[in-house]
């Protein structure tokens, strides 16, 4: 019962984060307004969000669905048997629920413009991401405490709740980010 | 009836796995028997070898179960691909372990693919689970 409760709380946080992030993105360039009340989710979406959170956070944090467009998520979901060199396969029913969930909450903006038709699997290879991180040095990323850009939460202390505000950034061995 | 319940309780706690996982082990056992005529029960010593030896994994590079799980199963491990900490695999150190047959099946399929670049046989799966339960 306790885990069930925890899961649904996690689902709410996750979903809330999605909206927060979506709003931030809308205001690209000026991120001062980030306090948005999360829209309530339907029962079914809460269950799906909890399942997504459980299944897609066992090897890394659960990335917010709004970080990528639907076609990226579809590509990921269709290649889970070789997911960045690891096997991340799911049973058919969970697979379907998660794929539908990602599709419903995927980014509606096309984050893949300028990719010459290629479909990004990684958030960290989208032009939007690359632009936002061009001042982050290679050494900051490859150090053992971070390993790769996939570890958003190594630098963005509130990434798991979907918040990427500058004042919440703390890079291991470098500290806070000041412009 | 009371004795049966007690005996069940005792045997599952001894096996350090939930009745659901014990049932899964029984299924593995019957498959192992049909696949290997000389099969004579699961063996923690073979399980240890499966768990600690290095193989050419899915990525064509050396991998072992202990690339991600710690050699001492009571300690946390670290995912060698992502750096994420993994809670201890030992059911004694971590009572959540080996409680869900669905979880166990899912991870054994994935993890054998990662380390052995193929699915494990029923015997290998049973051996390695027997080893994990004893640690």
């Amino acid at each position: 019962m306790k885990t069930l409760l925890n899961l649904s709380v996690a689902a709410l946080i996750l979903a809330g984060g999605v909206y927060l992030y979506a709003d931030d993105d809308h205001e690209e360039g000026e991120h001062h307004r980030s306090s948005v009340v999360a829209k309530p989710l339907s029962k079914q979406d809460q269950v799906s969000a909890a399942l997504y959170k459980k299944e897609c956070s066992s090897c890394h944090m659960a990335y917010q669905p709004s970080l990528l467009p639907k076609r990226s998520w579809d590509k990921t979901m269709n290649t889970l048997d070789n997911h960045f060199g690891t096997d991340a396969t799911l049973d058919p029913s969970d697979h379907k629920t998660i794929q539908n969930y990602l599709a419903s909450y995927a980014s509606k903006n096309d984050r893949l413009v300028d990719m010459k038709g290629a479909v990004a699997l990684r958030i960290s290879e989208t032009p939007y991401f690359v632009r936002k991180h061009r001042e982050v040095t290679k050494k900051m990323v490859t150090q053992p405490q971070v390993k790769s850009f996939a570890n958003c939460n190594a630098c963005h202390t509130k990434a798991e709740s979907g918040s990427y505000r500058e004042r919440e950034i703390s890079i291991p061995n470098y500290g806070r980010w000041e412009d | 009836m009371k004795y049966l319940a007690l005996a069940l309780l005792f045997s599952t706690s001894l096996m350090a796995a939930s009745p659901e996982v014990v049932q899964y082990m029984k299924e593995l056992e019957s498959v192992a028997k049909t696949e290997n005529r000389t099969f004579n029960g699961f063996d923690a010593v073979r399980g240890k070898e499966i768990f600690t030896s290095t193989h050419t994994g899915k990525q064509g590079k050396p991998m072992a179960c202990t690339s991600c799980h710690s050699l001492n199963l009571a300690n946390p491990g670290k995912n060698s691909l992502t750096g994420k900490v993994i809670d201890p695999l030992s059911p004694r150190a971590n009572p959540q372990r080996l409680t869900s047959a669905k979880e166990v099946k899912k991870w054994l399929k994935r993890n054998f693919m990662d380390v052995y670049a193929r699915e494990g046989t029923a015997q290998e799966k049973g051996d390695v689970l027997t080893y994990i339960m004893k640690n």
Side-chain angles (χ1 to χ4, degrees), chain A residues 54-55 57-60 81-82 85-91 94 147 151, chain B residues 58-59 78-84 96 102-103 106-107 109-110 113-114:
Chain A
K54 172 179 176 285
E55 292 300 337
S57 73
S58 41
C59 300
H60 45 64
D81 59 329
N82 193 357
T86 190
D87 186 312
T89 47
L90 290 160
D91 84 28
D94 290 350
K147 249 177 114 89
N151 277 325
Chain B
K58 191 178 179 69
Q59 300 193 24
K78 194 172 176 187
N79 192 316
S80 65
L81 304 174
T82 63
K84 186 168 169 159
Q96 306 273 40
K102 188 180 172 191
E103 284 297 304
K106 178 183 75 188
W107 284 107
K109 173 170 186 262
R110 291 174 172 176
M113 288 305 277
D114 281 359

PDB file of all heavy atoms in Angstrom, chain A residues 54-55 57-60 81-82 85-91 94 147 151, chain B residues 58-59 78-84 96 102-103 106-107 109-110 113-114:
ATOM      1  N   LYS A  54       8.394   4.243 -12.863  1.00  0.00           N
ATOM      2  CA  LYS A  54       9.041   3.044 -12.309  1.00  0.00           C
ATOM      3  C   LYS A  54       9.949   2.390 -13.359  1.00  0.00           C
ATOM      4  O   LYS A  54      11.112   2.116 -13.092  1.00  0.00           O
ATOM      5  CB  LYS A  54       7.974   2.048 -11.852  1.00  0.00           C
ATOM      6  CG  LYS A  54       8.536   0.694 -11.436  1.00  0.00           C
ATOM      7  CD  LYS A  54       7.417  -0.234 -10.965  1.00  0.00           C
ATOM      8  CE  LYS A  54       7.955  -1.614 -10.633  1.00  0.00           C
ATOM      9  NZ  LYS A  54       8.281  -2.416 -11.834  1.00  0.00           N
ATOM     10  N   GLU A  55       9.425   2.162 -14.542  1.00  0.00           N
ATOM     11  CA  GLU A  55      10.168   1.384 -15.533  1.00  0.00           C
ATOM     12  C   GLU A  55      11.309   2.162 -16.173  1.00  0.00           C
ATOM     13  O   GLU A  55      12.342   1.584 -16.494  1.00  0.00           O
ATOM     14  CB  GLU A  55       9.229   0.848 -16.619  1.00  0.00           C
ATOM     15  CG  GLU A  55       8.255  -0.216 -16.127  1.00  0.00           C
ATOM     16  CD  GLU A  55       8.961  -1.459 -15.564  1.00  0.00           C
ATOM     17  OE1 GLU A  55      10.119  -1.708 -15.931  1.00  0.00           O
ATOM     18  OE2 GLU A  55       8.348  -2.158 -14.736  1.00  0.00           O
ATOM     19  N   SER A  57      13.067   4.610 -14.896  1.00  0.00           N
ATOM     20  CA  SER A  57      14.009   5.282 -13.995  1.00  0.00           C
ATOM     21  C   SER A  57      14.914   4.273 -13.300  1.00  0.00           C
ATOM     22  O   SER A  57      15.583   4.615 -12.342  1.00  0.00           O
ATOM     23  CB  SER A  57      13.266   6.102 -12.936  1.00  0.00           C
ATOM     24  OG  SER A  57      12.677   5.235 -11.988  1.00  0.00           O
ATOM     25  N   SER A  58      14.950   3.023 -13.777  1.00  0.00           N
ATOM     26  CA  SER A  58      15.792   2.062 -13.054  1.00  0.00           C
ATOM     27  C   SER A  58      17.264   2.185 -13.441  1.00  0.00           C
ATOM     28  O   SER A  58      18.133   1.776 -12.683  1.00  0.00           O
ATOM     29  CB  SER A  58      15.279   0.635 -13.238  1.00  0.00           C
ATOM     30  OG  SER A  58      14.883   0.416 -14.549  1.00  0.00           O
ATOM     31  N   CYS A  59      17.564   2.744 -14.602  1.00  0.00           N
ATOM     32  CA  CYS A  59      18.967   2.875 -14.995  1.00  0.00           C
ATOM     33  C   CYS A  59      19.437   4.332 -15.026  1.00  0.00           C
ATOM     34  O   CYS A  59      20.629   4.605 -15.010  1.00  0.00           O
ATOM     35  CB  CYS A  59      19.187   2.252 -16.371  1.00  0.00           C
ATOM     36  SG  CYS A  59      18.771   0.493 -16.443  1.00  0.00           S
ATOM     37  N   HIS A  60      18.484   5.254 -15.132  1.00  0.00           N
ATOM     38  CA  HIS A  60      18.781   6.697 -15.129  1.00  0.00           C
ATOM     39  C   HIS A  60      17.507   7.376 -14.680  1.00  0.00           C
ATOM     40  O   HIS A  60      16.498   6.705 -14.488  1.00  0.00           O
ATOM     41  CB  HIS A  60      19.194   7.182 -16.525  1.00  0.00           C
ATOM     42  CG  HIS A  60      18.309   6.672 -17.639  1.00  0.00           C
ATOM     43  ND1 HIS A  60      16.968   7.005 -17.737  1.00  0.00           N
ATOM     44  CD2 HIS A  60      18.561   5.828 -18.672  1.00  0.00           C
ATOM     45  CE1 HIS A  60      16.454   6.396 -18.798  1.00  0.00           C
ATOM     46  NE2 HIS A  60      17.388   5.663 -19.380  1.00  0.00           N
ATOM     47  N   ASP A  81      15.277  -3.302 -27.296  1.00  0.00           N
ATOM     48  CA  ASP A  81      16.159  -4.469 -27.169  1.00  0.00           C
ATOM     49  C   ASP A  81      17.622  -4.075 -27.355  1.00  0.00           C
ATOM     50  O   ASP A  81      18.522  -4.806 -26.936  1.00  0.00           O
ATOM     51  CB  ASP A  81      15.768  -5.558 -28.184  1.00  0.00           C
ATOM     52  CG  ASP A  81      15.843  -5.048 -29.611  1.00  0.00           C
ATOM     53  OD1 ASP A  81      15.615  -3.833 -29.832  1.00  0.00           O
ATOM     54  OD2 ASP A  81      16.145  -5.837 -30.516  1.00  0.00           O
ATOM     55  N   ASN A  82      17.854  -2.935 -27.978  1.00  0.00           N
ATOM     56  CA  ASN A  82      19.229  -2.423 -28.036  1.00  0.00           C
ATOM     57  C   ASN A  82      19.197  -0.935 -27.731  1.00  0.00           C
ATOM     58  O   ASN A  82      19.340  -0.092 -28.608  1.00  0.00           O
ATOM     59  CB  ASN A  82      19.883  -2.715 -29.375  1.00  0.00           C
ATOM     60  CG  ASN A  82      21.383  -2.466 -29.325  1.00  0.00           C
ATOM     61  OD1 ASN A  82      21.917  -2.013 -28.303  1.00  0.00           O
ATOM     62  ND2 ASN A  82      22.071  -2.744 -30.411  1.00  0.00           N
ATOM     63  N   GLY A  85      22.991   0.258 -26.200  1.00  0.00           N
ATOM     64  CA  GLY A  85      23.892  -0.844 -25.875  1.00  0.00           C
ATOM     65  C   GLY A  85      23.418  -1.744 -24.749  1.00  0.00           C
ATOM     66  O   GLY A  85      24.115  -2.668 -24.352  1.00  0.00           O
ATOM     67  N   THR A  86      22.217  -1.488 -24.213  1.00  0.00           N
ATOM     68  CA  THR A  86      21.714  -2.355 -23.160  1.00  0.00           C
ATOM     69  C   THR A  86      20.334  -2.875 -23.544  1.00  0.00           C
ATOM     70  O   THR A  86      19.702  -2.353 -24.461  1.00  0.00           O
ATOM     71  CB  THR A  86      21.683  -1.602 -21.799  1.00  0.00           C
ATOM     72  OG1 THR A  86      21.414  -2.527 -20.741  1.00  0.00           O
ATOM     73  CG2 THR A  86      20.644  -0.516 -21.774  1.00  0.00           C
ATOM     74  N   ASP A  87      19.888  -3.934 -22.873  1.00  0.00           N
ATOM     75  CA  ASP A  87      18.562  -4.487 -23.130  1.00  0.00           C
ATOM     76  C   ASP A  87      17.591  -3.882 -22.130  1.00  0.00           C
ATOM     77  O   ASP A  87      17.735  -4.087 -20.928  1.00  0.00           O
ATOM     78  CB  ASP A  87      18.616  -6.014 -22.989  1.00  0.00           C
ATOM     79  CG  ASP A  87      17.302  -6.680 -23.384  1.00  0.00           C
ATOM     80  OD1 ASP A  87      16.240  -6.226 -22.914  1.00  0.00           O
ATOM     81  OD2 ASP A  87      17.328  -7.655 -24.150  1.00  0.00           O
ATOM     82  N   ALA A  88      16.617  -3.123 -22.632  1.00  0.00           N
ATOM     83  CA  ALA A  88      15.649  -2.468 -21.741  1.00  0.00           C
ATOM     84  C   ALA A  88      14.226  -2.920 -22.090  1.00  0.00           C
ATOM     85  O   ALA A  88      13.264  -2.172 -21.919  1.00  0.00           O
ATOM     86  CB  ALA A  88      15.788  -0.946 -21.842  1.00  0.00           C
ATOM     87  N   THR A  89      14.084  -4.154 -22.585  1.00  0.00           N
ATOM     88  CA  THR A  89      12.773  -4.629 -23.036  1.00  0.00           C
ATOM     89  C   THR A  89      11.768  -4.742 -21.892  1.00  0.00           C
ATOM     90  O   THR A  89      12.124  -4.964 -20.740  1.00  0.00           O
ATOM     91  CB  THR A  89      12.887  -6.011 -23.716  1.00  0.00           C
ATOM     92  OG1 THR A  89      13.691  -6.857 -22.892  1.00  0.00           O
ATOM     93  CG2 THR A  89      13.531  -5.904 -25.077  1.00  0.00           C
ATOM     94  N   LEU A  90      10.509  -4.567 -22.255  1.00  0.00           N
ATOM     95  CA  LEU A  90       9.392  -4.605 -21.306  1.00  0.00           C
ATOM     96  C   LEU A  90       8.401  -5.677 -21.737  1.00  0.00           C
ATOM     97  O   LEU A  90       8.416  -6.094 -22.900  1.00  0.00           O
ATOM     98  CB  LEU A  90       8.666  -3.256 -21.358  1.00  0.00           C
ATOM     99  CG  LEU A  90       9.411  -2.067 -20.795  1.00  0.00           C
ATOM    100  CD1 LEU A  90       8.817  -0.770 -21.334  1.00  0.00           C
ATOM    101  CD2 LEU A  90       9.381  -2.091 -19.273  1.00  0.00           C
ATOM    102  N   ASP A  91       7.508  -6.066 -20.832  1.00  0.00           N
ATOM    103  CA  ASP A  91       6.476  -6.992 -21.291  1.00  0.00           C
ATOM    104  C   ASP A  91       5.486  -6.209 -22.164  1.00  0.00           C
ATOM    105  O   ASP A  91       5.383  -4.988 -22.057  1.00  0.00           O
ATOM    106  CB  ASP A  91       5.857  -7.783 -20.132  1.00  0.00           C
ATOM    107  CG  ASP A  91       4.738  -7.069 -19.408  1.00  0.00           C
ATOM    108  OD1 ASP A  91       4.036  -6.232 -20.015  1.00  0.00           O
ATOM    109  OD2 ASP A  91       4.565  -7.338 -18.224  1.00  0.00           O
ATOM    110  N   ASP A  94       2.982  -3.515 -20.603  1.00  0.00           N
ATOM    111  CA  ASP A  94       3.650  -2.324 -20.060  1.00  0.00           C
ATOM    112  C   ASP A  94       4.240  -1.477 -21.187  1.00  0.00           C
ATOM    113  O   ASP A  94       4.225  -0.242 -21.147  1.00  0.00           O
ATOM    114  CB  ASP A  94       4.772  -2.730 -19.092  1.00  0.00           C
ATOM    115  CG  ASP A  94       4.220  -3.322 -17.797  1.00  0.00           C
ATOM    116  OD1 ASP A  94       2.995  -3.232 -17.581  1.00  0.00           O
ATOM    117  OD2 ASP A  94       5.019  -3.884 -17.007  1.00  0.00           O
ATOM    118  N   LYS A 147      29.586  11.733 -15.904  1.00  0.00           N
ATOM    119  CA  LYS A 147      29.679  10.679 -16.916  1.00  0.00           C
ATOM    120  C   LYS A 147      29.187  11.086 -18.288  1.00  0.00           C
ATOM    121  O   LYS A 147      29.874  10.888 -19.272  1.00  0.00           O
ATOM    122  CB  LYS A 147      28.941   9.411 -16.467  1.00  0.00           C
ATOM    123  CG  LYS A 147      29.865   8.244 -16.164  1.00  0.00           C
ATOM    124  CD  LYS A 147      29.063   7.064 -15.670  1.00  0.00           C
ATOM    125  CE  LYS A 147      29.124   5.916 -16.642  1.00  0.00           C
ATOM    126  NZ  LYS A 147      30.232   4.999 -16.410  1.00  0.00           N
ATOM    127  N   ASN A 151      22.940  12.250 -17.647  1.00  0.00           N
ATOM    128  CA  ASN A 151      22.708  12.386 -16.206  1.00  0.00           C
ATOM    129  C   ASN A 151      22.308  13.813 -15.844  1.00  0.00           C
ATOM    130  O   ASN A 151      23.009  14.494 -15.099  1.00  0.00           O
ATOM    131  CB  ASN A 151      23.961  11.984 -15.423  1.00  0.00           C
ATOM    132  CG  ASN A 151      24.035  10.488 -15.240  1.00  0.00           C
ATOM    133  OD1 ASN A 151      22.997   9.834 -15.074  1.00  0.00           O
ATOM    134  ND2 ASN A 151      25.232   9.950 -15.278  1.00  0.00           N
TER     135      ASN A 151
ATOM    136  N   LYS B  58      26.776  -7.840 -24.779  1.00  0.00           N
ATOM    137  CA  LYS B  58      25.990  -7.334 -25.886  1.00  0.00           C
ATOM    138  C   LYS B  58      26.750  -6.327 -26.737  1.00  0.00           C
ATOM    139  O   LYS B  58      26.593  -6.268 -27.945  1.00  0.00           O
ATOM    140  CB  LYS B  58      24.749  -6.670 -25.280  1.00  0.00           C
ATOM    141  CG  LYS B  58      23.678  -6.305 -26.255  1.00  0.00           C
ATOM    142  CD  LYS B  58      22.505  -5.698 -25.491  1.00  0.00           C
ATOM    143  CE  LYS B  58      21.402  -5.292 -26.421  1.00  0.00           C
ATOM    144  NZ  LYS B  58      20.742  -6.465 -27.008  1.00  0.00           N
ATOM    145  N   GLN B  59      27.594  -5.517 -26.094  1.00  0.00           N
ATOM    146  CA  GLN B  59      28.328  -4.489 -26.826  1.00  0.00           C
ATOM    147  C   GLN B  59      29.660  -4.995 -27.372  1.00  0.00           C
ATOM    148  O   GLN B  59      30.482  -4.206 -27.835  1.00  0.00           O
ATOM    149  CB  GLN B  59      28.593  -3.283 -25.914  1.00  0.00           C
ATOM    150  CG  GLN B  59      27.341  -2.628 -25.378  1.00  0.00           C
ATOM    151  CD  GLN B  59      27.634  -1.265 -24.757  1.00  0.00           C
ATOM    152  OE1 GLN B  59      28.620  -0.607 -25.086  1.00  0.00           O
ATOM    153  NE2 GLN B  59      26.781  -0.828 -23.847  1.00  0.00           N
ATOM    154  N   LYS B  78      26.727  -0.348  -8.779  1.00  0.00           N
ATOM    155  CA  LYS B  78      26.661   0.862  -9.591  1.00  0.00           C
ATOM    156  C   LYS B  78      26.574   0.462 -11.049  1.00  0.00           C
ATOM    157  O   LYS B  78      27.418  -0.299 -11.529  1.00  0.00           O
ATOM    158  CB  LYS B  78      27.929   1.681  -9.330  1.00  0.00           C
ATOM    159  CG  LYS B  78      27.851   3.079  -9.841  1.00  0.00           C
ATOM    160  CD  LYS B  78      29.054   3.842  -9.361  1.00  0.00           C
ATOM    161  CE  LYS B  78      29.057   5.229  -9.944  1.00  0.00           C
ATOM    162  NZ  LYS B  78      30.297   5.936  -9.621  1.00  0.00           N
ATOM    163  N   ASN B  79      25.567   0.933 -11.735  1.00  0.00           N
ATOM    164  CA  ASN B  79      25.388   0.620 -13.147  1.00  0.00           C
ATOM    165  C   ASN B  79      26.597   1.122 -13.944  1.00  0.00           C
ATOM    166  O   ASN B  79      26.843   2.326 -13.992  1.00  0.00           O
ATOM    167  CB  ASN B  79      24.089   1.250 -13.649  1.00  0.00           C
ATOM    168  CG  ASN B  79      23.689   0.722 -15.010  1.00  0.00           C
ATOM    169  OD1 ASN B  79      24.529   0.590 -15.898  1.00  0.00           O
ATOM    170  ND2 ASN B  79      22.421   0.414 -15.172  1.00  0.00           N
ATOM    171  N   SER B  80      27.346   0.200 -14.567  1.00  0.00           N
ATOM    172  CA  SER B  80      28.584   0.606 -15.237  1.00  0.00           C
ATOM    173  C   SER B  80      28.298   1.454 -16.477  1.00  0.00           C
ATOM    174  O   SER B  80      29.175   2.150 -16.962  1.00  0.00           O
ATOM    175  CB  SER B  80      29.414  -0.620 -15.608  1.00  0.00           C
ATOM    176  OG  SER B  80      28.721  -1.388 -16.576  1.00  0.00           O
ATOM    177  N   LEU B  81      27.077   1.389 -16.999  1.00  0.00           N
ATOM    178  CA  LEU B  81      26.765   2.153 -18.210  1.00  0.00           C
ATOM    179  C   LEU B  81      26.268   3.561 -17.893  1.00  0.00           C
ATOM    180  O   LEU B  81      26.505   4.491 -18.649  1.00  0.00           O
ATOM    181  CB  LEU B  81      25.705   1.417 -19.044  1.00  0.00           C
ATOM    182  CG  LEU B  81      26.054  -0.010 -19.448  1.00  0.00           C
ATOM    183  CD1 LEU B  81      24.872  -0.673 -20.123  1.00  0.00           C
ATOM    184  CD2 LEU B  81      27.266  -0.033 -20.363  1.00  0.00           C
ATOM    185  N   THR B  82      25.559   3.715 -16.784  1.00  0.00           N
ATOM    186  CA  THR B  82      24.952   5.023 -16.487  1.00  0.00           C
ATOM    187  C   THR B  82      25.462   5.665 -15.197  1.00  0.00           C
ATOM    188  O   THR B  82      25.209   6.836 -14.952  1.00  0.00           O
ATOM    189  CB  THR B  82      23.426   4.890 -16.337  1.00  0.00           C
ATOM    190  OG1 THR B  82      23.149   4.045 -15.212  1.00  0.00           O
ATOM    191  CG2 THR B  82      22.795   4.306 -17.580  1.00  0.00           C
ATOM    192  N   GLY B  83      26.119   4.874 -14.331  1.00  0.00           N
ATOM    193  CA  GLY B  83      26.604   5.416 -13.066  1.00  0.00           C
ATOM    194  C   GLY B  83      25.570   5.411 -11.954  1.00  0.00           C
ATOM    195  O   GLY B  83      25.876   5.763 -10.820  1.00  0.00           O
ATOM    196  N   LYS B  84      24.355   5.012 -12.251  1.00  0.00           N
ATOM    197  CA  LYS B  84      23.313   5.030 -11.214  1.00  0.00           C
ATOM    198  C   LYS B  84      23.536   3.927 -10.169  1.00  0.00           C
ATOM    199  O   LYS B  84      23.870   2.793 -10.511  1.00  0.00           O
ATOM    200  CB  LYS B  84      21.927   4.880 -11.849  1.00  0.00           C
ATOM    201  CG  LYS B  84      20.827   5.046 -10.802  1.00  0.00           C
ATOM    202  CD  LYS B  84      19.442   5.188 -11.387  1.00  0.00           C
ATOM    203  CE  LYS B  84      18.464   5.050 -10.221  1.00  0.00           C
ATOM    204  NZ  LYS B  84      17.166   5.594 -10.427  1.00  0.00           N
ATOM    205  N   GLN B  96      13.150  -6.109  -0.469  1.00  0.00           N
ATOM    206  CA  GLN B  96      12.368  -5.952  -1.706  1.00  0.00           C
ATOM    207  C   GLN B  96      12.773  -6.970  -2.773  1.00  0.00           C
ATOM    208  O   GLN B  96      12.006  -7.270  -3.678  1.00  0.00           O
ATOM    209  CB  GLN B  96      12.599  -4.562  -2.318  1.00  0.00           C
ATOM    210  CG  GLN B  96      12.346  -3.408  -1.399  1.00  0.00           C
ATOM    211  CD  GLN B  96      10.888  -3.005  -1.424  1.00  0.00           C
ATOM    212  OE1 GLN B  96       9.996  -3.864  -1.471  1.00  0.00           O
ATOM    213  NE2 GLN B  96      10.631  -1.713  -1.395  1.00  0.00           N
ATOM    214  N   LYS B 102       7.638 -11.216 -11.787  1.00  0.00           N
ATOM    215  CA  LYS B 102       7.670 -10.387 -12.993  1.00  0.00           C
ATOM    216  C   LYS B 102       8.980  -9.595 -13.068  1.00  0.00           C
ATOM    217  O   LYS B 102       9.619  -9.535 -14.121  1.00  0.00           O
ATOM    218  CB  LYS B 102       6.470  -9.430 -12.974  1.00  0.00           C
ATOM    219  CG  LYS B 102       6.297  -8.651 -14.251  1.00  0.00           C
ATOM    220  CD  LYS B 102       5.095  -7.719 -14.176  1.00  0.00           C
ATOM    221  CE  LYS B 102       5.065  -6.804 -15.386  1.00  0.00           C
ATOM    222  NZ  LYS B 102       4.087  -5.714 -15.234  1.00  0.00           N
ATOM    223  N   GLU B 103       9.386  -8.992 -11.946  1.00  0.00           N
ATOM    224  CA  GLU B 103      10.643  -8.234 -11.903  1.00  0.00           C
ATOM    225  C   GLU B 103      11.832  -9.150 -12.180  1.00  0.00           C
ATOM    226  O   GLU B 103      12.724  -8.803 -12.954  1.00  0.00           O
ATOM    227  CB  GLU B 103      10.844  -7.597 -10.514  1.00  0.00           C
ATOM    228  CG  GLU B 103       9.996  -6.363 -10.246  1.00  0.00           C
ATOM    229  CD  GLU B 103      10.318  -5.208 -11.172  1.00  0.00           C
ATOM    230  OE1 GLU B 103      11.494  -4.793 -11.224  1.00  0.00           O
ATOM    231  OE2 GLU B 103       9.392  -4.711 -11.841  1.00  0.00           O
ATOM    232  N   LYS B 106      12.015 -10.172 -15.839  1.00  0.00           N
ATOM    233  CA  LYS B 106      12.395  -9.030 -16.682  1.00  0.00           C
ATOM    234  C   LYS B 106      13.895  -8.767 -16.598  1.00  0.00           C
ATOM    235  O   LYS B 106      14.562  -8.630 -17.622  1.00  0.00           O
ATOM    236  CB  LYS B 106      11.607  -7.791 -16.230  1.00  0.00           C
ATOM    237  CG  LYS B 106      11.936  -6.525 -16.986  1.00  0.00           C
ATOM    238  CD  LYS B 106      11.156  -5.333 -16.424  1.00  0.00           C
ATOM    239  CE  LYS B 106      11.728  -4.874 -15.105  1.00  0.00           C
ATOM    240  NZ  LYS B 106      10.882  -3.860 -14.451  1.00  0.00           N
ATOM    241  N   TRP B 107      14.421  -8.719 -15.365  1.00  0.00           N
ATOM    242  CA  TRP B 107      15.838  -8.377 -15.210  1.00  0.00           C
ATOM    243  C   TRP B 107      16.760  -9.494 -15.640  1.00  0.00           C
ATOM    244  O   TRP B 107      17.830  -9.250 -16.200  1.00  0.00           O
ATOM    245  CB  TRP B 107      16.121  -7.900 -13.786  1.00  0.00           C
ATOM    246  CG  TRP B 107      15.625  -6.504 -13.594  1.00  0.00           C
ATOM    247  CD1 TRP B 107      14.533  -6.110 -12.881  1.00  0.00           C
ATOM    248  CD2 TRP B 107      16.176  -5.310 -14.170  1.00  0.00           C
ATOM    249  NE1 TRP B 107      14.373  -4.748 -12.976  1.00  0.00           N
ATOM    250  CE2 TRP B 107      15.362  -4.235 -13.751  1.00  0.00           C
ATOM    251  CE3 TRP B 107      17.267  -5.046 -15.002  1.00  0.00           C
ATOM    252  CZ2 TRP B 107      15.623  -2.908 -14.133  1.00  0.00           C
ATOM    253  CZ3 TRP B 107      17.518  -3.725 -15.383  1.00  0.00           C
ATOM    254  CH2 TRP B 107      16.702  -2.677 -14.944  1.00  0.00           C
ATOM    255  N   LYS B 109      16.243 -11.597 -18.030  1.00  0.00           N
ATOM    256  CA  LYS B 109      16.288 -11.565 -19.497  1.00  0.00           C
ATOM    257  C   LYS B 109      17.244 -10.457 -19.957  1.00  0.00           C
ATOM    258  O   LYS B 109      18.160 -10.701 -20.740  1.00  0.00           O
ATOM    259  CB  LYS B 109      14.888 -11.321 -20.056  1.00  0.00           C
ATOM    260  CG  LYS B 109      14.869 -11.105 -21.556  1.00  0.00           C
ATOM    261  CD  LYS B 109      13.446 -11.103 -22.101  1.00  0.00           C
ATOM    262  CE  LYS B 109      13.426 -11.041 -23.615  1.00  0.00           C
ATOM    263  NZ  LYS B 109      13.218  -9.690 -24.133  1.00  0.00           N
ATOM    264  N   ARG B 110      17.037  -9.248 -19.433  1.00  0.00           N
ATOM    265  CA  ARG B 110      17.877  -8.114 -19.827  1.00  0.00           C
ATOM    266  C   ARG B 110      19.341  -8.341 -19.471  1.00  0.00           C
ATOM    267  O   ARG B 110      20.237  -8.115 -20.279  1.00  0.00           O
ATOM    268  CB  ARG B 110      17.422  -6.858 -19.067  1.00  0.00           C
ATOM    269  CG  ARG B 110      16.085  -6.327 -19.482  1.00  0.00           C
ATOM    270  CD  ARG B 110      15.720  -5.182 -18.545  1.00  0.00           C
ATOM    271  NE  ARG B 110      14.527  -4.489 -18.996  1.00  0.00           N
ATOM    272  CZ  ARG B 110      13.962  -3.507 -18.302  1.00  0.00           C
ATOM    273  NH1 ARG B 110      14.478  -3.117 -17.143  1.00  0.00           N
ATOM    274  NH2 ARG B 110      12.892  -2.905 -18.771  1.00  0.00           N
ATOM    275  N   MET B 113      21.267 -10.910 -21.452  1.00  0.00           N
ATOM    276  CA  MET B 113      21.578 -10.352 -22.776  1.00  0.00           C
ATOM    277  C   MET B 113      22.786  -9.418 -22.679  1.00  0.00           C
ATOM    278  O   MET B 113      23.699  -9.476 -23.502  1.00  0.00           O
ATOM    279  CB  MET B 113      20.382  -9.578 -23.345  1.00  0.00           C
ATOM    280  CG  MET B 113      19.221 -10.445 -23.794  1.00  0.00           C
ATOM    281  SD  MET B 113      19.651 -11.722 -24.982  1.00  0.00           S
ATOM    282  CE  MET B 113      19.629 -10.803 -26.486  1.00  0.00           C
ATOM    283  N   ASP B 114      22.801  -8.568 -21.669  1.00  0.00           N
ATOM    284  CA  ASP B 114      23.896  -7.604 -21.525  1.00  0.00           C
ATOM    285  C   ASP B 114      25.247  -8.293 -21.312  1.00  0.00           C
ATOM    286  O   ASP B 114      26.261  -7.862 -21.836  1.00  0.00           O
ATOM    287  CB  ASP B 114      23.638  -6.666 -20.329  1.00  0.00           C
ATOM    288  CG  ASP B 114      22.639  -5.552 -20.672  1.00  0.00           C
ATOM    289  OD1 ASP B 114      22.179  -5.501 -21.829  1.00  0.00           O
ATOM    290  OD2 ASP B 114      22.327  -4.745 -19.774  1.00  0.00           O
TER     291      ASP B 114
END
